[in-house]
Amino acid sequence: MRVTGTVQGVGFRPFVYRLARELGLTGYVLNDDRGVLLEAEGGRSKVDAFLTRLAIDAPPLATVERVSPEEVEPTGASGFEIAASRRGGTPLALVSPDVATCAACLLEMADPRDRRYRYPFTNCTDCGPRFTIVRDVPYDRPLTTMAEFEMCGLCRAEYGDPSDRRFHAQPNACPKCGPTLTLLEPGGESVGADDPLAAAAEALRGGAVLAVKGLGGYHLACRAGDEVACAALRSRKHREDKPFALMAANLPAARELVELTASEEALLLGSERPIVVARRRPDAPVAHSVAPGSPDLGVMLPYTPLHHLLLAEVGETLVMTSGNLSDEPIAYDDAEALRRLSSIADLLLVHDRPIHVRADDSVVRSLGDLREAPLMLRRSRGYAPASISLPVDASRAVLACGAELKSTFCLARGRRAWVSHHIGDLKNYETLRSFEEGVAHFERLFAVSPEVVVCDLHPDYLSTRYALAREGVETMAVQHHHAHLAACLAEHGEQGPAVGAIYDGTGYGEDGTVWGGELLFGDIASYERAGSLSPVPMPGGERAVLEPWRMACSWLIAAGHDRPSAPSALAEAVSPERWEQVAALARSGFGSPSTSSMGRLFDAVSALCGLRSTVTYEGQAAIELEAAAGAGFEGEPYSLPVRDAGERLELDARETVCAVARDLARGAGTALVAARFHAAVAVATAEACTRIAAARGTDLVVLSGGVFNNRLLVERTFALLEGRGLRVLLPALLPAGDGGISYGQAAAAAARLAGSRLPT
Ligand code: ZN
Ligand code: ZN
Ligand code: FE
């Protein structure tokens, strides 16, 4: 039998072994580069029972996609054995994501009589590092970063004993033979601590900033309740406002930080262990500097033995933010971490198991009652590189290069797509390098040699340049917002056609302007632009992204205020001279590309409300506007007309902006203005989608793009559309933001390839 799916590194062979022994079958099982191959010899009924149970009783982390049996001549084998892995041919074996420490391992670590008592690298077949330590396939110890560690007698015995929980657990280790911790000074000298963990915990309790080597990279940690330490970390990291993630020791500790629903608790406890963004409790014992201006906190639970031990030893919630300077990718290489983090951390808690692939923590946000699956804000450690299926066959091997911010790439072949871990902002040289290395690694792991390379339409994205520089391949371009639409359709197994309301910050339009408030009608292969937000100039181009007040000025002018006065809320942040300069730019259009971006409209309203005149991270102005609106919808939606503009619909937000300015001038509260604005966008979106759907004869609507990370907007729009009898899809497995673009590009390419083979 040939078994395919996620069947390596998940205890599948021992499971087969035990099942065969139980049924009295003889034969063998082995890992090869296509998955698992096995022979089972015995009576017909026993073999049939074996076949049935193979898929049903598979271990929890395994995903059996297909069992292909074939009859062969009996060999008369006397027993059942786990045979040596085989290489050669075309690898198809799937590398599983990293898995949080399991309950059985935690019990051993807590037991003073156990040989793994307090051992920070304890793992077993059900848990531990996977993707981040795999150098090549098949998944066997010599091809992981555990190759350097030779197992001691006891570990080897476990590894070889099919009845043991650590049978063929590739990263198996113990204090005698496995990785060890060291506590370093920022210069790289060992502190010489007998118990590095206890010494690190002591330093944290004393207010230190500690760099900790984790699973997919380094974190920077300090006590979450320690304002001095948190403020120091923030200034050393050059991170102005973006919230720090927290790690709580356990669920009760997490409940003291944030309000948690049952589904949020399940997310926290899941083996993927993402950061869960949830509503902060008013009395949360957290320093101001952890998340200034944010009504939410990002919380996760420990996912490695080291985290469990450290949290228990410190006895308090820790900040656990990525180990980097602002905008750089997270450090994962030891020498590099020492170089980059020594100016931030007071001490470094390191170990000698190399990290092969950098993987950031994943971030999710619950959608409450709307649906069980959360919004995936960042899909990385714990989720990548699990494959996602495609609704059409990619008849040729595809590499999709994604966009630029929050970038990922995607390989696809047949019905399977592998979306990479979070790579980050490709404007950074380091990130570009990790993008290129990542592509090469994935091509090896999944044995995909791309024949078709897909990129965004934007000529200046480094991902586009990379795609165009690849030799010997066919290149294909997919418009940014179409990729968002295709991604959401495809992950739900749909091909369209559908109406897509695709709202984000920036995407290169077919007409060369900046799109971002798009109403598309299309399927996964192609689309038409059925409508958009009314365009306005972006005064000063990219600077308007960092300075939302410029968009406020531009929108006021578009709305007919020829010489708008700066709103009082902005008076402190912007001098009258600068305001007038920018107003002049907006009026003349000089150096001010036209944009239909919904993200920029949210920026403008946020600035008008006095929430953000400038931002320090992407989406900040909109996030604070959503926060200001609170959870409920009070007040009437502002008017936001949907007009016929020739062939297309136009969401005309000029009246909306006027109403916002008027309300604020009359002294209306920010909460009310923000809520009425959200409602206006939801109502107009629902109306536009309904009209397009009716005109085109579809009942399917997709909401995607980073603006739909806004829960308030999603909930309202979703409810309105459903109320009109439309079926609404939201991204679930992948981010609504640009982390989902690469998969959408791959889906579009697969569909176009399939289409191109049809007889003409
Ligand atoms: Zn375990
Ligand atoms: Zn050992
Ligand atoms: Fe986008």
Side-chain angles (χ1 to χ4, degrees):
M1 287 157 216
R2 156 70 56 200
V3 187
T4 54
T6 304
V7 288
Q8 291 191 4
V10 291
F12 197 77
R13 287 173 305 172
F15 152 70
V16 170
Y17 175 91
R18 286 190 289 267
L19 183 61
R21 298 271 288 229
E22 186 192 318
L23 293 167
L25 301 172
T26 62
Y28 69 87
V29 57
L30 60 80
N31 272 353
D32 65 8
D33 32 28
R34 293 173 58 197
V36 160
L37 184 69
L38 66 94
E39 282 186 20
E41 181 171 331
R44 169 70 62 188
S45 63
K46 292 284 166 66
V47 173
D48 286 346
F50 179 81
L51 254 173
T52 313
R53 286 177 58 188
L54 204 56
I56 305 173
D57 295 347
L61 299 178
T63 314
V64 175
E65 286 176 357
R66 188 178 298 169
V67 180
S68 321
E70 189 184 317
E71 284 199 26
V72 292
E73 282 298 309
T75 63
S78 58
F80 197 92
E81 61 161 358
I82 296 187
S85 299
R86 273 187 210 158
R87 286 233 63 183
T90 319
L92 259 182
L94 303 184
V95 177
S96 94
D98 301 286
V99 183
T101 312
C102 75
C105 284
L106 285 178
L107 277 177
E108 290 171 342
M109 285 162 50
D111 179 357
R113 292 157 308 175
D114 194 279
R115 68 194 190 90
R116 291 191 177 84
Y117 177 56
R118 295 187 76 241
Y119 182 54
F121 303 93
T122 304
N123 66 83
C124 73
T125 325
D126 298 331
C127 75
R130 296 288 187 276
F131 174 56
T132 52
I133 63 164
V134 171
R135 290 187 168 130
D136 209 341
V137 282
Y139 174 63
D140 264 340
R141 190 168 178 114
L143 294 177
T144 70
T145 63
M146 283 299 289
E148 292 90 289
F149 298 93
E150 185 158 351
M151 272 185 271
C152 69
L154 287 174
C155 285
R156 184 166 300 284
E158 292 168 337
Y159 184 89
D161 175 2
S163 66
D164 194 279
R165 198 174 91 247
R166 297 197 165 86
F167 180 61
H168 283 219
Q170 304 306 341
N172 189 24
C174 79
K176 241 180 109 180
C177 66
T180 50
L181 286 176
T182 318
L183 187 61
L184 301 179
E185 303 275 2
E189 289 286 293
S190 169
V191 170
D194 289 339
D195 187 338
L197 189 99
E202 167 117 39
L204 283 170
R205 280 195 303 269
V209 171
L210 179 75
V212 188
K213 183 174 176 182
L215 203 50
Y218 279 74
H219 281 119
L220 288 160
C222 68
R223 284 169 55 234
D226 185 338
E227 176 56 34
V228 176
C230 291
L233 175 55
R234 206 166 263 293
S235 81
R236 293 184 208 167
K237 216 172 122 72
H238 302 301
R239 177 141 149 172
E240 290 168 55
D241 305 305
K242 198 172 179 186
F244 287 146
L246 301 174
M247 186 177 274
N250 45 41
L251 197 53
R255 286 187 186 128
E256 289 179 20
L257 303 168
V258 283
E259 316 273 359
L260 291 170
T261 62
S263 62
E264 284 165 334
E265 294 192 349
L267 286 168
L268 274 173
L269 290 168
S271 68
E272 297 88 359
R273 292 286 156 109
I275 295 168
V276 177
V277 177
R279 190 50 47 119
R280 146 193 224 148
R281 288 176 64 104
D283 55 348
V286 162
H288 169 77
S289 296
V290 166
S294 169
D296 296 330
L297 290 173
V299 180
M300 63 183 148
L301 295 180
Y303 53 86
T304 69
L306 174 56
H307 294 148
H308 282 282
L309 294 167
L310 190 63
L311 267 289
E313 191 89 24
V314 177
E316 275 180 65
T317 294
L318 295 178
V319 164
M320 272 284 188
T321 184
S322 50
N324 55 4
L325 275 174
S326 195
D327 296 335
E328 281 181 0
I330 185 170
Y332 71 106
D333 173 81
D334 296 318
E336 178 202 327
L338 208 56
R339 185 169 50 75
R340 281 166 51 186
L341 302 181
S342 58
S343 60
I344 308 177
D346 299 309
L347 289 167
L348 294 94
L349 185 60
V350 305
H351 60 74
D352 50 358
R353 186 182 70 206
I355 298 171
H356 189 67
V357 176
R358 169 171 74 80
D360 297 74
D361 294 316
S362 297
V363 187
V364 302
R365 186 182 195 193
S366 166
L367 274 176
D369 298 333
L370 196 60
R371 87 172 176 208
E372 183 115 356
L375 282 172
M376 188 70 66
L377 302 182
R378 179 164 75 202
R379 178 185 183 272
S380 201
R381 194 244 330 130
Y383 296 92
S387 70
I388 297 174
S389 43
L390 287 170
V392 284
D393 244 54
S395 57
R396 295 159 70 197
V398 171
L399 165 66
C401 296
E404 180 159 76
L405 294 174
K406 300 184 174 169
S407 80
T408 60
F409 60 84
C410 173
L411 282 179
R413 192 179 60 196
R415 285 295 179 101
R416 219 192 276 279
W418 294 274
V419 180
S420 75
H421 48 299
H422 167 80
I423 303 283
D425 178 355
L426 275 187
K427 279 177 179 163
N428 183 304
Y429 170 74
E430 292 263 316
T431 326
L432 177 65
R433 213 189 53 190
S434 69
F435 172 86
E436 292 171 351
E437 287 169 1
V439 169
H441 187 53
F442 268 58
E443 286 181 20
R444 226 171 26 247
L445 281 191
F446 303 111
V448 176
S449 308
E451 298 163 72
V452 177
V453 176
V454 198
C455 61
D456 196 89
L457 281 180
H458 201 304
D460 297 331
Y461 280 177
L462 292 181
S463 57
T464 305
R465 295 204 195 150
Y466 171 88
L468 298 178
R470 289 259 322 206
E471 288 178 5
V473 296
E474 184 183 319
T475 51
M476 202 183 269
V478 176
Q479 199 277 330
H480 188 92
H481 303 96
H482 180 224
H484 276 303
L485 170 66
C488 184
L489 283 170
E491 72 149 292
H492 289 283
E494 303 273 354
Q495 298 186 40
V499 180
I502 313 294
Y503 296 167
D504 64 4
T506 302
Y508 196 83
E510 306 270 1
D511 57 3
T513 70
V514 181
W515 291 8
E518 307 311 307
L519 297 160
L520 308 182
F521 174 74
D523 55 20
I524 58 174
S526 62
Y527 78 102
E528 286 167 50
R529 193 185 194 200
S532 72
L533 183 65
S534 51
V536 296
M538 267 170 89
E542 284 292 296
R543 289 196 66 179
V545 179
L546 297 173
E547 299 178 10
W549 68 267
R550 289 171 179 255
M551 292 310 300
C553 180
S554 180
W555 268 105
L556 287 174
I557 289 170
H561 301 247
D562 192 45
R563 305 191 78 82
S565 51
S568 55
L570 284 174
E572 260 179 50
V574 185
S575 70
E577 295 76 36
R578 289 192 73 206
W579 178 267
E580 183 42 44
Q581 282 164 9
V582 164
L585 277 181
R587 276 193 301 267
S588 69
F590 180 75
S592 305
S594 168
T595 185
S596 57
S597 167
M598 186 61 82
R600 297 291 87 81
L601 176 62
F602 274 76
D603 283 359
V605 174
S606 184
L608 287 173
C609 289
L611 292 167
R612 295 292 338 166
S613 57
T614 60
V615 295
T616 62
Y617 64 92
E618 196 203 358
Q620 186 180 13
I623 287 169
E624 296 193 14
L625 188 65
E626 179 191 356
F633 266 111
E634 286 138 46
E636 279 289 293
Y638 290 123
S639 158
L640 203 172
V642 180
R643 297 192 203 288
D644 278 305
E647 303 276 277
R648 293 207 297 265
L649 295 183
E650 189 168 271
L651 301 188
D652 186 350
R654 291 176 299 181
E655 271 179 44
T656 327
V657 171
C658 283
V660 166
R662 202 168 48 237
D663 258 11
L664 288 166
R666 281 190 200 135
T670 307
L672 181 66
V673 173
R676 293 185 69 186
F677 170 71
H678 275 79
V681 175
V683 168
T685 303
E687 191 197 327
C689 288
T690 308
R691 280 169 62 177
I692 298 166
R696 308 283 186 146
T698 178
D699 67 346
L700 190 59
V701 177
V702 165
L703 304 178
S704 191
V707 169
F708 283 107
N709 284 330
N710 183 322
R711 188 168 146 179
L712 204 54
L713 181 66
V714 165
E715 284 173 346
R716 180 65 173 255
T717 314
F718 193 98
L720 289 169
L721 287 165
E722 280 210 322
R724 296 171 187 215
L726 295 163
R727 199 153 62 89
V728 189
L729 299 178
L730 294 170
L733 299 173
L734 289 161
D738 286 0
I741 286 285
S742 63
Y743 171 77
Q745 292 172 338
R752 291 183 196 170
L753 288 171
S756 69
R757 287 179 312 161
L758 292 173
T760 48

